[in-house]
């Protein structure tokens, strides 16, 4: 039962919207101005690396703007992690660092992290605090060119075994700020249901997978997420 069992939380771009970062599929989203095929696939990077690097360099600079700060939803999840008596695994599709800056200890970035780079030669992952173009060399092997440490379409998301094991053992699965368009993340609710978990969606509007959740609460993440966390923690008393 949820009373105090393990929790898996999945977040998407919607949780960072009120912090000032764009989502992907909203009217003002990232895919409204640029095509996935041109900037977010290995083929795009092979065809025009400068264009792909420029796309991520611009997003990285945007994230590093001091105006971009975690919001109450990020902070509420950090509080849940700290106060819940059983394991809480926070899986995020987001490549920003707002969960970490809100106090989450170890978010699992299944689609990578924009503030890290990966060497094309030795595959080492290193911090990427600034632009990757015009091409600093890998700090590990000293020779490889660097790509963003980001999972593109057609690439395998990170730590899937760990995510699937946590879903198989969870009592509660909460999906926050995601449209349910992108797999395999959009399929996690099925794994949670198969494990007998309670499944809840917290989103601005019903996602594509809304009907597969036991419950949905709709509104801005900065409102619905803290309220839900307060309710969970109050249930422990
Ligand atoms: C893979 C990093 C296989 C880059 C991203 C079936 C099974 C498996 C794969 C597939 C499949 N069908 C299709 C595929 C292929 C593909 C896919 O899913 N395509 C879709 C488009 C159909 N999947 C893949 O390619 C994945 N890889 O499957 O590999 C494989 C197997 C073997 C060997 C090798 C490979 C990889 C997918 C990862 C791609 N990378 N991101 C980057 O960030 O630039 S995905 C990208 O979409 C982001 O990570 C983003 O997080 C993610 C999902 O988007 P959302 O987060 O949901 O954002 P969106 O804008 O869509 O929605 C925002 C939501 O927030 C909305 O609902 C909105 O209402 C809400 N919202 C807005 N404001 C608020 C709010 N909510 C609350 N409060 C608010 N204020």
């Amino acid at each position: 039962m949820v009373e105090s069992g393990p929790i898996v939380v999945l977040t998407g771009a919607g949780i960072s919207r009120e912090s000032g970062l764009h989502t992907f599929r909203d009217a003002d989203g990232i895919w409204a101005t640029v095509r996935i095929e041109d900037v977010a696939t290995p083929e795009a990077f092979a065809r025009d690396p400068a264009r792909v690097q420029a796309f991520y360099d611009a997003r990285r600079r945007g994230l590093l703007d001091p105006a971009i700060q975690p919001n109450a939803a990020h902070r509420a999840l950090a509080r849940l992690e700290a106060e819940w008596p059983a394991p809480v695994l926070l899986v995020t599709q987001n490549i920003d660092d707002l969960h970490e800056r809100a106090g989450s200890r170890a978010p699992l970035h299944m689609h990578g992290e924009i503030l890290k780079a990966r060497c094309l030669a030795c595959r080492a992952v290193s911090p990427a605090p600034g632009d990757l173009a015009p091409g600093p060399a890998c700090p590990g092997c000293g020779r490889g060119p660097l790509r963003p440490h980001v999972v593109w379409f057609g690439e395998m998301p990170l730590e899937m075994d760990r995510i699937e094991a946590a879903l198989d053992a969870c009592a509660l699965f909460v999906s926050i700020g995601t449209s349910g368009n992108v797999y395999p993340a959009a399929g996690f609710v099925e794994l949670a249901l198969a494990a007998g978990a309670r499944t809840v969606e917290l989103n601005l509007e019903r996602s594509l997978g809304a009907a597969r959740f036991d419950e949905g609460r709709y509104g801005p993440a900065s409102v619905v997420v803290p309220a839900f966390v307060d309710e969970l923690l109050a249930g422990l008393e």
Side-chain angles (χ1 to χ4, degrees), residues 14 34 38 40 57 66 72 75 97 127 129 142 160 166 199 209:
V34 67
D38 292 333
D57 285 349
R75 289 193 294 274
D97 65 339
M160 285 301 296
T199 56

Side-chain angles (χ1 to χ4, degrees), residues 71-82 102 104 221-222 225-227 229-230 233:
N71 64 58
H74 297 105
R75 289 193 294 274
L77 293 180
R79 179 167 164 244
L80 178 65
E81 285 175 35
S104 282
S222 66
V225 177
V229 168
D230 287 348
L233 295 176

Side-chain angles (χ1 to χ4, degrees), residues 125-140:
V125 173
S126 56
D131 288 0
L132 293 185
C138 169

Side-chain angles (χ1 to χ4, degrees), residues 163-173 186-200 212-214:
I163 296 168
E164 286 164 2
L167 288 166
D168 288 346
C170 75
L172 172 64
F173 174 66
F188 289 172
V189 61
E190 301 298 349
L191 299 180
L193 286 166
R198 177 183 166 213
T199 56
V200 178
R212 296 187 288 183
F213 287 84
D214 296 320

Side-chain angles (χ1 to χ4, degrees), residues 80-177:
L80 178 65
E81 285 175 35
E83 299 182 16
W84 192 251
V88 176
L89 177 64
L90 173 58
V91 181
T92 185
Q93 298 173 91
N94 301 338
I95 60 176
D96 63 56
D97 65 339
L98 296 178
H99 283 302
E100 290 86 341
R101 286 162 56 192
S104 282
R105 284 189 296 273
L108 195 165
H109 286 272
M110 66 178 289
H111 292 162
E113 299 172 69
I114 199 163
L115 295 178
K116 290 181 180 171
R118 189 190 312 162
C119 178
L120 294 175
C122 72
R123 297 187 62 76
V125 173
S126 56
D131 288 0
L132 293 185
C138 169
C141 66
R143 56 188 164 82
L146 299 174
R147 60 167 275 183
H149 180 52
V150 165
V151 176
W152 287 321
F153 287 90
E155 295 186 321
M156 179 58 87
L158 306 176
E159 300 198 68
M160 285 301 296
D161 293 345
R162 187 160 150 240
I163 296 168
E164 286 164 2
L167 288 166
D168 288 346
C170 75
L172 172 64
F173 174 66
V174 191
S175 177
I176 302 171

Side-chain angles (χ1 to χ4, degrees), residues 11-18 22-26 29-31 36 39-40 55-56 59 92-95 110-112 150-157 176-185 202-208 219-222 224:
T11 63
I15 199 170
S16 298
R17 184 69 195 85
E18 291 161 273
H22 283 285
T23 63
F24 290 88
R25 295 169 185 84
D26 287 327
I30 293 169
W31 301 145
I36 289 173
V39 295
F55 172 66
Y56 286 97
R59 283 174 66 191
T92 185
Q93 298 173 91
N94 301 338
I95 60 176
M110 66 178 289
H111 292 162
V150 165
V151 176
W152 287 321
F153 287 90
E155 295 186 321
M156 179 58 87
I176 302 171
T178 183
S179 63
N181 269 286
V182 175
Y183 285 83
L202 306 178
N203 210 49
L204 190 62
E205 57 199 11
R206 286 173 62 81
S207 73
L208 288 179
S222 66
V224 298

Side-chain angles (χ1 to χ4, degrees), residues 42-58:
E43 295 77 14
F45 187 67
R47 184 171 60 245
D48 189 349
R51 177 166 187 190
V52 174
Q53 295 286 26
F55 172 66
Y56 286 97
D57 285 349

